[in-house]
Amino acid sequence: MPRILVIDDEQVLRSTVVTILTRAGFTVEEASDGQAGLTMFHKNPPDIVLTDIFMPNRDGIEIIKELKHSSPRTKIIAMTGGGHLRMMEMASAAKVLGADHVLDKPFESESLLAAINTVGCPSTPKNQHSS
């Protein structure tokens, strides 16, 4: 099962994403800002990184650029608060710089799991069934 690193400065969103992914059977680590996320990444690289775009201490665009340079095989999902023109431009920049998928906040758990599946990783273990 793929390991996932979630990087987001919004504690409630980060905790919700971690809970959804953990319940789906993934091993998940979390970081509260860009610099902490990069430090965690370089200590033990995950298979997938979910990163917010707007954060303190290194934004998501910087994270995408660094990870695509140092670990081009790592799958990256960028998360952004959709709607505003600037955020839409940043989401486009994330794709151009190497994000494999962009999720617009707010998103449903199904969209999150579909994004994980889209980047090439199954969203649920074969031995886990919904009840």
Side-chain angles (χ1 to χ4, degrees):
M1 203 56 165
R3 285 178 42 277
I4 301 173
L5 172 60
V6 178
I7 310 169
D8 198 311
D9 60 317
E10 295 178 42
Q11 193 272 327
V12 172
L13 178 84
R14 189 176 68 248
S15 295
T16 301
V17 169
V18 168
T19 298
I20 292 166
L21 295 174
T22 302
R23 286 183 180 163
F26 294 101
T27 300
V28 184
E29 295 179 334
E30 60 183 291
S32 61
D33 66 47
Q35 188 58 52
L38 286 173
T39 299
M40 291 178 76
F41 179 89
H42 291 299
K43 284 183 183 175
N44 191 11
D47 303 296
I48 302 172
V49 173
L50 274 87
T51 183
D52 188 18
I53 292 183
F54 294 104
M55 295 181 292
N57 302 321
R58 308 285 297 266
D59 65 31
I61 297 298
E62 291 175 285
I63 290 168
I64 293 166
K65 286 171 36 179
E66 182 168 329
L67 296 186
K68 282 302 174 181
H69 176 74
S70 66
S71 182
R73 297 180 67 146
T74 299
K75 299 297 183 184
I76 301 171
I77 298 172
M79 301 179 289
T80 184
H84 298 87
L85 182 59
R86 181 168 181 236
M87 291 183 185
M88 291 169 53
E89 289 172 356
M90 294 302 280
S92 294
K95 280 294 257 190
V96 168
L97 292 170
D100 297 287
H101 192 81
V102 176
L103 270 176
D104 291 323
K105 296 178 188 178
F107 49 81
E108 300 291 326
S109 59
E110 294 82 13
S111 298
L112 173 62
L113 295 173
I116 299 292
N117 191 50
T118 296
V119 299
C121 299
S123 60
T124 55
K126 290 181 181 174
N127 62 357
Q128 185 175 355
H129 299 286
S130 299
S131 24

mmCIF file of all heavy atoms in Angstrom, residues 35-59:
data_model
loop_
_atom_site.group_PDB
_atom_site.id
_atom_site.type_symbol
_atom_site.label_atom_id
_atom_site.label_comp_id
_atom_site.label_asym_id
_atom_site.label_seq_id
_atom_site.Cartn_x
_atom_site.Cartn_y
_atom_site.Cartn_z
ATOM 1 N N GLN A 35 8.032 23.658 4.837
ATOM 2 C CA GLN A 35 9.381 23.273 5.247
ATOM 3 C C GLN A 35 9.365 21.957 6.023
ATOM 4 O O GLN A 35 10.188 21.080 5.787
ATOM 5 C CB GLN A 35 10.047 24.374 6.079
ATOM 6 C CG GLN A 35 11.512 24.083 6.358
ATOM 7 C CD GLN A 35 12.333 23.894 5.083
ATOM 8 O OE1 GLN A 35 12.312 24.726 4.184
ATOM 9 N NE2 GLN A 35 13.043 22.788 4.979
ATOM 10 N N ALA A 36 8.413 21.815 6.945
ATOM 11 C CA ALA A 36 8.296 20.561 7.700
ATOM 12 C C ALA A 36 8.001 19.396 6.768
ATOM 13 O O ALA A 36 8.537 18.296 6.929
ATOM 14 C CB ALA A 36 7.203 20.687 8.767
ATOM 15 N N GLY A 37 7.171 19.648 5.754
ATOM 16 C CA GLY A 37 6.851 18.600 4.790
ATOM 17 C C GLY A 37 8.062 18.155 3.986
ATOM 18 O O GLY A 37 8.286 16.960 3.786
ATOM 19 N N LEU A 38 8.864 19.115 3.543
ATOM 20 C CA LEU A 38 10.079 18.762 2.798
ATOM 21 C C LEU A 38 11.061 17.998 3.673
ATOM 22 O O LEU A 38 11.690 17.035 3.214
ATOM 23 C CB LEU A 38 10.732 20.015 2.225
ATOM 24 C CG LEU A 38 10.013 20.630 1.032
ATOM 25 C CD1 LEU A 38 10.641 21.969 0.657
ATOM 26 C CD2 LEU A 38 10.008 19.679 -0.159
ATOM 27 N N THR A 39 11.193 18.396 4.917
ATOM 28 C CA THR A 39 12.082 17.686 5.846
ATOM 29 C C THR A 39 11.627 16.244 6.005
ATOM 30 O O THR A 39 12.434 15.310 5.918
ATOM 31 C CB THR A 39 12.122 18.401 7.213
ATOM 32 O OG1 THR A 39 12.621 19.732 7.008
ATOM 33 C CG2 THR A 39 13.004 17.665 8.203
ATOM 34 N N MET A 40 10.327 16.053 6.229
ATOM 35 C CA MET A 40 9.792 14.690 6.363
ATOM 36 C C MET A 40 9.995 13.899 5.082
ATOM 37 O O MET A 40 10.351 12.725 5.111
ATOM 38 C CB MET A 40 8.310 14.735 6.736
ATOM 39 C CG MET A 40 8.053 15.259 8.132
ATOM 40 S SD MET A 40 6.293 15.359 8.499
ATOM 41 C CE MET A 40 5.945 13.623 8.778
ATOM 42 N N PHE A 41 9.758 14.537 3.947
ATOM 43 C CA PHE A 41 9.923 13.863 2.660
ATOM 44 C C PHE A 41 11.341 13.336 2.492
ATOM 45 O O PHE A 41 11.548 12.187 2.103
ATOM 46 C CB PHE A 41 9.580 14.806 1.502
ATOM 47 C CG PHE A 41 9.768 14.153 0.170
ATOM 48 C CD1 PHE A 41 8.721 13.449 -0.401
ATOM 49 C CD2 PHE A 41 10.982 14.195 -0.501
ATOM 50 C CE1 PHE A 41 8.896 12.804 -1.621
ATOM 51 C CE2 PHE A 41 11.160 13.557 -1.707
ATOM 52 C CZ PHE A 41 10.109 12.855 -2.271
ATOM 53 N N HIS A 42 12.325 14.177 2.779
ATOM 54 C CA HIS A 42 13.711 13.781 2.554
ATOM 55 C C HIS A 42 14.200 12.738 3.555
ATOM 56 O O HIS A 42 15.115 11.974 3.236
ATOM 57 C CB HIS A 42 14.619 15.009 2.531
ATOM 58 C CG HIS A 42 14.392 15.860 1.317
ATOM 59 N ND1 HIS A 42 14.575 15.406 0.026
ATOM 60 C CD2 HIS A 42 13.964 17.137 1.185
ATOM 61 C CE1 HIS A 42 14.282 16.355 -0.836
ATOM 62 N NE2 HIS A 42 13.907 17.417 -0.162
ATOM 63 N N LYS A 43 13.582 12.652 4.724
ATOM 64 C CA LYS A 43 13.950 11.618 5.703
ATOM 65 C C LYS A 43 13.431 10.247 5.296
ATOM 66 O O LYS A 43 14.089 9.236 5.501
ATOM 67 C CB LYS A 43 13.402 11.968 7.090
ATOM 68 C CG LYS A 43 14.178 13.048 7.792
ATOM 69 C CD LYS A 43 13.633 13.280 9.182
ATOM 70 C CE LYS A 43 14.384 14.423 9.854
ATOM 71 N NZ LYS A 43 13.800 14.760 11.155
ATOM 72 N N ASN A 44 12.225 10.208 4.730
ATOM 73 C CA ASN A 44 11.590 8.944 4.384
ATOM 74 C C ASN A 44 10.586 9.207 3.252
ATOM 75 O O ASN A 44 9.401 9.387 3.515
ATOM 76 C CB ASN A 44 10.899 8.354 5.619
ATOM 77 C CG ASN A 44 10.445 6.938 5.398
ATOM 78 O OD1 ASN A 44 10.796 6.300 4.410
ATOM 79 N ND2 ASN A 44 9.642 6.440 6.312
ATOM 80 N N PRO A 45 11.051 9.238 2.004
ATOM 81 C CA PRO A 45 10.185 9.632 0.892
ATOM 82 C C PRO A 45 8.941 8.753 0.748
ATOM 83 O O PRO A 45 9.043 7.530 0.701
ATOM 84 C CB PRO A 45 11.083 9.490 -0.340
ATOM 85 C CG PRO A 45 12.474 9.552 0.193
ATOM 86 C CD PRO A 45 12.407 8.943 1.559
ATOM 87 N N PRO A 46 7.765 9.380 0.695
ATOM 88 C CA PRO A 46 6.526 8.629 0.472
ATOM 89 C C PRO A 46 6.311 8.388 -1.016
ATOM 90 O O PRO A 46 7.060 8.892 -1.857
ATOM 91 C CB PRO A 46 5.462 9.589 1.024
ATOM 92 C CG PRO A 46 6.031 10.939 0.723
ATOM 93 C CD PRO A 46 7.522 10.793 0.907
ATOM 94 N N ASP A 47 5.267 7.646 -1.339
ATOM 95 C CA ASP A 47 4.910 7.392 -2.733
ATOM 96 C C ASP A 47 4.117 8.553 -3.325
ATOM 97 O O ASP A 47 4.218 8.839 -4.516
ATOM 98 C CB ASP A 47 4.070 6.112 -2.833
ATOM 99 C CG ASP A 47 4.806 4.930 -2.254
ATOM 100 O OD1 ASP A 47 5.857 4.565 -2.807
ATOM 101 O OD2 ASP A 47 4.349 4.383 -1.230
ATOM 102 N N ILE A 48 3.310 9.189 -2.471
ATOM 103 C CA ILE A 48 2.428 10.276 -2.907
ATOM 104 C C ILE A 48 2.539 11.426 -1.917
ATOM 105 O O ILE A 48 2.584 11.203 -0.704
ATOM 106 C CB ILE A 48 0.955 9.816 -2.967
ATOM 107 C CG1 ILE A 48 0.784 8.633 -3.916
ATOM 108 C CG2 ILE A 48 0.034 10.971 -3.367
ATOM 109 C CD1 ILE A 48 -0.591 8.002 -3.871
ATOM 110 N N VAL A 49 2.554 12.651 -2.440
ATOM 111 C CA VAL A 49 2.511 13.849 -1.599
ATOM 112 C C VAL A 49 1.262 14.629 -1.969
ATOM 113 O O VAL A 49 1.031 14.920 -3.147
ATOM 114 C CB VAL A 49 3.762 14.737 -1.805
ATOM 115 C CG1 VAL A 49 3.614 16.057 -1.054
ATOM 116 C CG2 VAL A 49 5.010 14.002 -1.356
ATOM 117 N N LEU A 50 0.442 14.944 -0.959
ATOM 118 C CA LEU A 50 -0.673 15.870 -1.131
ATOM 119 C C LEU A 50 -0.234 17.161 -0.489
ATOM 120 O O LEU A 50 0.082 17.180 0.701
ATOM 121 C CB LEU A 50 -1.925 15.366 -0.404
ATOM 122 C CG LEU A 50 -2.809 14.393 -1.159
ATOM 123 C CD1 LEU A 50 -2.312 12.994 -0.941
ATOM 124 C CD2 LEU A 50 -4.225 14.532 -0.680
ATOM 125 N N THR A 51 -0.197 18.234 -1.257
ATOM 126 C CA THR A 51 0.263 19.501 -0.713
ATOM 127 C C THR A 51 -0.698 20.635 -1.024
ATOM 128 O O THR A 51 -1.205 20.737 -2.139
ATOM 129 C CB THR A 51 1.677 19.863 -1.214
ATOM 130 O OG1 THR A 51 2.100 21.077 -0.587
ATOM 131 C CG2 THR A 51 1.738 20.022 -2.718
ATOM 132 N N ASP A 52 -0.930 21.445 0.002
ATOM 133 C CA ASP A 52 -1.663 22.684 -0.204
ATOM 134 C C ASP A 52 -0.757 23.602 -1.016
ATOM 135 O O ASP A 52 0.470 23.443 -1.011
ATOM 136 C CB ASP A 52 -1.985 23.303 1.159
ATOM 137 C CG ASP A 52 -2.912 24.505 1.059
ATOM 138 O OD1 ASP A 52 -3.573 24.677 0.021
ATOM 139 O OD2 ASP A 52 -2.977 25.269 2.040
ATOM 140 N N ILE A 53 -1.338 24.562 -1.707
ATOM 141 C CA ILE A 53 -0.514 25.491 -2.471
ATOM 142 C C ILE A 53 -0.111 26.697 -1.636
ATOM 143 O O ILE A 53 1.039 27.087 -1.622
ATOM 144 C CB ILE A 53 -1.230 25.907 -3.773
ATOM 145 C CG1 ILE A 53 -1.302 24.693 -4.696
ATOM 146 C CG2 ILE A 53 -0.490 27.058 -4.443
ATOM 147 C CD1 ILE A 53 -1.902 24.933 -6.042
ATOM 148 N N PHE A 54 -1.066 27.270 -0.898
ATOM 149 C CA PHE A 54 -0.765 28.458 -0.094
ATOM 150 C C PHE A 54 -0.486 28.062 1.343
ATOM 151 O O PHE A 54 -1.397 27.658 2.069
ATOM 152 C CB PHE A 54 -1.926 29.454 -0.154
ATOM 153 C CG PHE A 54 -2.121 30.028 -1.519
ATOM 154 C CD1 PHE A 54 -3.153 29.593 -2.324
ATOM 155 C CD2 PHE A 54 -1.253 30.995 -2.001
ATOM 156 C CE1 PHE A 54 -3.330 30.115 -3.596
ATOM 157 C CE2 PHE A 54 -1.425 31.516 -3.277
ATOM 158 C CZ PHE A 54 -2.460 31.083 -4.071
ATOM 159 N N MET A 55 0.796 28.173 1.764
ATOM 160 C CA MET A 55 1.224 27.821 3.120
ATOM 161 C C MET A 55 2.412 28.673 3.523
ATOM 162 O O MET A 55 3.145 29.157 2.660
ATOM 163 C CB MET A 55 1.685 26.355 3.194
ATOM 164 C CG MET A 55 0.649 25.328 2.950
ATOM 165 S SD MET A 55 1.366 23.671 3.101
ATOM 166 C CE MET A 55 2.461 23.622 1.681
ATOM 167 N N PRO A 56 2.631 28.779 4.820
ATOM 168 C CA PRO A 56 3.854 29.458 5.283
ATOM 169 C C PRO A 56 5.065 28.529 5.163
ATOM 170 O O PRO A 56 4.897 27.310 5.000
ATOM 171 C CB PRO A 56 3.551 29.756 6.756
ATOM 172 C CG PRO A 56 2.552 28.706 7.162
ATOM 173 C CD PRO A 56 1.746 28.413 5.917
ATOM 174 N N ASN A 57 6.241 29.102 5.263
ATOM 175 C CA ASN A 57 7.493 28.324 5.296
ATOM 176 C C ASN A 57 7.630 27.376 4.114
ATOM 177 O O ASN A 57 7.847 26.198 4.296
ATOM 178 C CB ASN A 57 7.617 27.545 6.604
ATOM 179 C CG ASN A 57 7.582 28.438 7.809
ATOM 180 O OD1 ASN A 57 8.148 29.537 7.790
ATOM 181 N ND2 ASN A 57 6.908 28.012 8.847
ATOM 182 N N ARG A 58 7.515 27.844 2.938
ATOM 183 C CA ARG A 58 7.597 27.131 1.654
ATOM 184 C C ARG A 58 6.186 26.793 1.187
ATOM 185 O O ARG A 58 5.493 26.011 1.807
ATOM 186 C CB ARG A 58 8.442 25.851 1.728
ATOM 187 C CG ARG A 58 9.830 25.982 2.319
ATOM 188 C CD ARG A 58 10.853 26.636 1.398
ATOM 189 N NE ARG A 58 11.155 25.946 0.190
ATOM 190 C CZ ARG A 58 12.159 25.089 0.022
ATOM 191 N NH1 ARG A 58 12.961 24.803 1.025
ATOM 192 N NH2 ARG A 58 12.359 24.529 -1.141
ATOM 193 N N ASP A 59 5.799 27.382 0.084
ATOM 194 C CA ASP A 59 4.460 27.108 -0.439
ATOM 195 C C ASP A 59 4.468 25.855 -1.306
ATOM 196 O O ASP A 59 5.514 25.256 -1.569
ATOM 197 C CB ASP A 59 3.903 28.326 -1.173
ATOM 198 C CG ASP A 59 4.684 28.690 -2.432
ATOM 199 O OD1 ASP A 59 5.248 27.788 -3.082
ATOM 200 O OD2 ASP A 59 4.715 29.886 -2.770
#
